[in-house]
């Protein structure tokens, strides 16, 4: 039995805020916790492994003929779109998992500890990069198996871009997770955000095939920019201005939703 | 000396429920302060406000002179919180939990290992260190939770109903652990529904009811206000009832209450010694006894004495504090922040 000596509080030693360095360190710790849980429950990888296996052939063979006049002609259009869709579904999961986690008692402990208010949110998002990478690699692998031949250099950059996009968009769902009261509710709202974002974009069909008013929305949708950037990278092997726009759009999402997420988490009832 | 906790006029309003309704609290350094009350009295809500987990709607609170509202981050460096529902991670092992919390406090990987091992040993959890908490018993979870609160050796520890739901043996172990902490000089603020727990552990006790403090004092003072314990005797033969009542009345100088249906006789005691006197009187008159009990005043009797109302007569709707908190949570506009 060790002896713990309780020292009186030394007022000057108390810190008023968490430093940036501590915040980063604590975010890593929280990411480590999330990874530990992933290792213990590999079922969490089910969706990112199966969804690409299912969706890529399904979309490719069903819509290929109708939209592009053949599966192999459709793949350069489809695979970048599917990458975006998979990323969105996966980062929606980040929010739902966080919401479930926040209902557990351990979040009471995190709240009562003198620790960063961002770390418990940033940690899971960071750990989920593993899931985003798996989802992306799976989608690309299935696409290539079906006959897609992307530019190798563009492929690497595209992977980086889509993982960054997923991480950025995850902050939207993280912010929602801090204000929604149930995982089911969050799932419902997330679906309503995800579907318009993916389907009202150029992910699966050329924007020019749409009525004018819809085309206007599709053109401002950040997902469209990301998809176009991915196509430019993988199909043309070129880093175009679209890549810049996509990165900017993602940064804007983080700049808006990260503070909102922290505000939601900080808010005491 | 600065007070460990100094609160004045604390108020917490959940929509139409005033969960905490103007409570003043002064906890001295080094003492164990018990907050006693039934479910829904506002104990947990009050504790969560002091622990920076709930917003203080009205009133002032300081922990070692630091304002809880203005400097929550500083207050968090002074407290350890052990909740009613273990605030540890179910999916991690006991050691991983302790290590994680220690690392968050800024300890290096090596230091965290040492802290975790020390605490595991101290709380008798070494054998279970590598098991995930899903396989832990309620008592083990509470012990780990308490251990987690001690990592930074905080000068003030909040214990929210530390033994609710534990079996008597585990409860006794928990009491011993808490006594150890006291011996080492920690200041403890604990809430409980059990009079005997407050009696066993607390130097001073506040009784709270419906968000208000209805009494405060040492357990002795409190009990004196409640009255005495009661001797209850079950006779072997109901025929002896009259003779038994007479002997007890002679011995103690006061009338015993009869319950002829169960051949039972009850008499209030001024001192525990009086139980022996009553029993000796029965023995002298050759009255055989089937069962004897000395009943301590219960929380219900404390409340009866202090508020003139039985706890059990309360409306069913008054759930425990935590449910109140969650219910209020759910009523908040979910889109508030995105607006």
């Amino acid at each position: 039995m060790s002896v713990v000596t309780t020292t009186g509080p030394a007022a000057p030693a108390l810190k008023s805020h968490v430093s940036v360095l501590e915040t980063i360190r604590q975010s890593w710790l929280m990411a480590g916790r999330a990874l530990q849980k992933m290792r213990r429950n590999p079922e969490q990888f089910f969706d990112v492994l199966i969804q690409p296996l299912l969706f890529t052939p399904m979309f490719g063979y069903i819509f290929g003929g109708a939209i592009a006049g053949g599966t192999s002609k459709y793949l350069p259009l489809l695979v970048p779109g599917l990458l975006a869709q998979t990323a969105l579904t996966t980062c929606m999961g980040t929010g739902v998992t966080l919401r479930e986690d926040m209902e557990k008692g351990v979040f009471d402990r995190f709240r009562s500890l003198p620790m960063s208010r961002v770390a418990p949110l940033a940690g899971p998002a960071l750990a989920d990069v593993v899931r985003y990478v798996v989802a992306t690699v799976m989608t690309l692998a299935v696409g290539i198996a079906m006959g897609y031949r992307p530019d190798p250099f563009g492929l690497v950059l595209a992977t980086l871009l889509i993982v960054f996009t997923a991480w950025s968009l995850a902050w939207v769902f993280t912010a929602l997770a801090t204000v929604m009261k149930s995982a089911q509710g969050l799932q419902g709202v997330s679906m309503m955000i995800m579907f318009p974002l993916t389907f009202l974009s150029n992910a699966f069909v050329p924007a020019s095939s749409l009525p004018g008013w819809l085309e206007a929305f599709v053109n401002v949708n950040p997902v469209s920019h990301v998809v176009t950037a991915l196509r430019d990278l993988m199909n043309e092997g070129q880093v175009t201005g679209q890549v810049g726009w996509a990165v900017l759009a993602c940064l804007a999402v983080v700049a808006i939703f990260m503070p909102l997420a922290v505000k939601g988490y900080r808010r005491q009832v | 000396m600065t007070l460990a906790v100094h609160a004045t006029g604390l108020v917490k309003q959940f929509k139409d429920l005033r969960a905490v309704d103007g409570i003043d609290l002064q906890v001295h350094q080094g003492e164990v302060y018990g907050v006693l009350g039934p479910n829904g009295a506002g104990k947990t809500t009050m504790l969560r406000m002091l622990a920076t987990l709930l917003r203080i709607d009205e009133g002032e609170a300081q922990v070692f002179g630091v304002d809880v509202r203005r400097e929550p981050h500083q207050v968090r460096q002074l407290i350890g919180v052990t909740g009613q529902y273990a605030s540890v991670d179910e999916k991690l092992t006991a050691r991983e939990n302790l290590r994680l919390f220690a690392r968050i406090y800024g300890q290096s990987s090596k230091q965290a290992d040492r802290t975790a091992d020390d605490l595991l040993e101290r709380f008798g959890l070494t054998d279970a260190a590598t098991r995930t908490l899903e396989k832990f018993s309620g008592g083990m979870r509470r012990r780990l939770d308490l251990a987690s609160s001690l990592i930074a050796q905080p000068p003030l520890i909040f214990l929210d109903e530390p033994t609710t739901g534990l079996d008597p043996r585990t409860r006794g172990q928990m009491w011993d652990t808490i006594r150890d902490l006291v011996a080492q000089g920690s200041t403890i603020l604990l809430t409980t529904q059990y009079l005997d727990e407050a009696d066993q552990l607390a130097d001073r006790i506040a009784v709270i009811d419906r968000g208000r403090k209805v009494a405060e004092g040492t357990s002795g003072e409190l009990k004196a206000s409640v009255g005495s314990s009661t001797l209850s005797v079950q006779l072997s033969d109901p025929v002896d009832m009259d003779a038994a009542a007479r002997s007890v009345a002679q011995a103690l100088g006061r009338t015993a209450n009869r319950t002829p249906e169960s051949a039972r006789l009850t008499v209030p005691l001024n001192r525990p010694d009086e139980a022996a006197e009553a029993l000796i009187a029965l023995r002298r008159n050759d009255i055989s006894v089937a069962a004897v009990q000395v009943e301590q005043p219960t929380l219900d009797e404390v409340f009866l004495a202090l508020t003139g109302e039985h706890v059990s007569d309360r409306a069913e709707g008054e759930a425990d504090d935590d449910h109140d908190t969650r219910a209020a949570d759910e009523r908040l506009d979910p889109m508030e922040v995105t607006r």
Side-chain angles (χ1 to χ4, degrees), chain B residues 262-283:
Chain B
S262 53
R264 191 178 292 274
L265 210 61
T266 56
V267 60
L269 302 174
N270 288 338
R271 295 169 290 113
D273 281 348
E274 288 187 341
E277 288 164 27
L279 292 175
I280 290 164
L282 293 176
R283 185 89 206 95

Side-chain angles (χ1 to χ4, degrees), chain B residues 152-260:
Chain B
Q153 304 178 9
L156 173 64
I157 297 159
F158 291 115
L159 296 176
D160 190 17
E161 306 205 3
T163 66
T164 298
L166 297 187
D167 62 71
R169 194 176 63 92
T170 321
R171 202 163 162 226
Q173 288 173 352
M174 197 73 181
W175 284 359
D176 289 340
T177 310
I178 296 169
R179 285 196 194 97
D180 281 348
L181 287 178
V182 180
Q184 285 153 20
S186 301
T187 307
I188 294 178
L189 176 59
L190 77 95
T191 72
T192 180
Q193 307 183 36
Y194 309 116
L195 183 64
D196 59 337
E197 184 160 286
D199 191 8
Q200 287 281 330
L201 300 173
D203 302 316
R204 283 194 306 142
I205 300 167
V207 180
I208 72 167
D209 179 41
R210 300 188 178 189
R212 287 174 175 281
K213 192 161 79 178
V214 293
E216 186 176 27
T218 64
S219 96
E221 287 164 353
L222 217 63
K223 276 191 195 153
S225 77
V226 177
S228 47
S229 48
T230 306
L231 173 68
S232 161
V233 175
Q234 190 174 8
L235 304 174
S236 308
D237 187 349
V239 176
D240 293 333
M241 184 59 87
D242 285 338
R246 258 199 314 278
S247 337
V248 171
Q250 263 171 11
L252 302 184
R254 83 182 74 90
T255 323
N257 303 312
R258 304 174 190 203
T259 318

Side-chain angles (χ1 to χ4, degrees), chain A:
Chain A
M1 189 124 165
S2 68
V3 176
V4 174
T5 45
T6 315
T7 47
L14 296 180
K15 294 181 208 144
S16 312
H17 60 270
V18 190
S19 73
V20 177
L21 217 66
E22 279 175 306
T23 302
I24 294 169
R25 184 175 171 274
Q26 288 166 0
S27 300
W28 272 111
L29 288 170
M30 298 303 280
R33 161 178 176 264
L35 286 174
Q36 236 160 4
K37 290 168 96 152
M38 276 186 209
R39 263 210 308 275
R40 213 150 283 164
N41 183 14
E43 261 174 52
Q44 284 185 45
F45 287 100
F46 191 74
D47 58 339
V48 290
L49 285 171
I50 299 303
Q51 198 182 312
L53 278 177
L54 207 66
F55 278 25
T56 318
M58 207 170 79
F59 277 70
Y61 292 119
I62 292 179
F63 297 133
I67 295 173
T71 302
S72 56
K73 280 188 205 150
Y74 185 44
L75 283 173
L77 188 72
L78 172 71
V79 173
L82 268 179
L83 283 178
Q85 193 218 15
T86 313
L88 265 164
T89 336
T90 315
C91 66
M92 191 178 95
T94 307
V96 175
T97 310
L98 178 70
R99 178 65 260 169
E100 280 168 355
D101 207 18
M102 284 176 77
E103 276 156 34
K104 309 258 166 66
V106 70
F107 260 78
D108 261 3
R109 165 111 20 229
F110 295 146
R111 281 175 205 271
S112 72
L113 288 178
M115 71 182 289
S116 150
R117 305 285 111 175
V118 190
L121 311 174
L126 207 58
D128 268 0
V129 164
V130 175
R131 280 161 48 80
Y132 309 149
V133 169
V134 172
T136 302
V137 169
M138 281 300 290
T139 307
L140 287 172
V142 177
I144 289 166
M146 284 170 67
Y148 179 46
R149 293 292 171 263
D151 179 83
F153 168 71
L155 186 75
V156 174
L157 283 187
T159 305
L160 290 176
L161 176 64
I162 194 63
V163 169
F164 177 66
T165 305
W167 176 82
S168 310
L169 293 179
W171 282 100
V172 176
F173 302 106
T174 299
L176 281 171
T178 62
V179 285
M180 298 280 302
K181 289 305 157 197
S182 74
Q184 289 98 320
L186 176 62
Q187 184 113 34
V189 171
S190 302
M191 286 289 201
M192 281 190 302
I193 295 173
M194 192 206 68
F195 271 105
L197 273 182
T198 35
F199 284 93
L200 303 184
S201 77
N202 60 356
F204 301 112
V205 294
S208 52
S209 68
L210 303 169
W213 58 273
L214 197 54
E215 195 185 339
F217 176 81
V218 165
N219 285 335
V220 295
N221 185 346
V223 174
S224 300
H225 289 289
V226 172
V227 172
T228 310
L230 292 174
R231 284 183 188 142
D232 289 350
L233 285 169
M234 292 197 291
N235 301 341
E236 320 295 336
Q238 282 172 359
V239 184
T240 59
Q242 283 296 328
V243 178
W245 283 117
V247 171
L248 231 94
C250 289
L251 287 175
V253 167
V254 177
I256 295 168
F257 286 94
M258 194 194 274
L260 283 178
V262 174
K263 192 181 170 206
Y265 176 66
R266 279 194 110 103
R267 187 193 52 164
Q268 297 173 316
V269 181

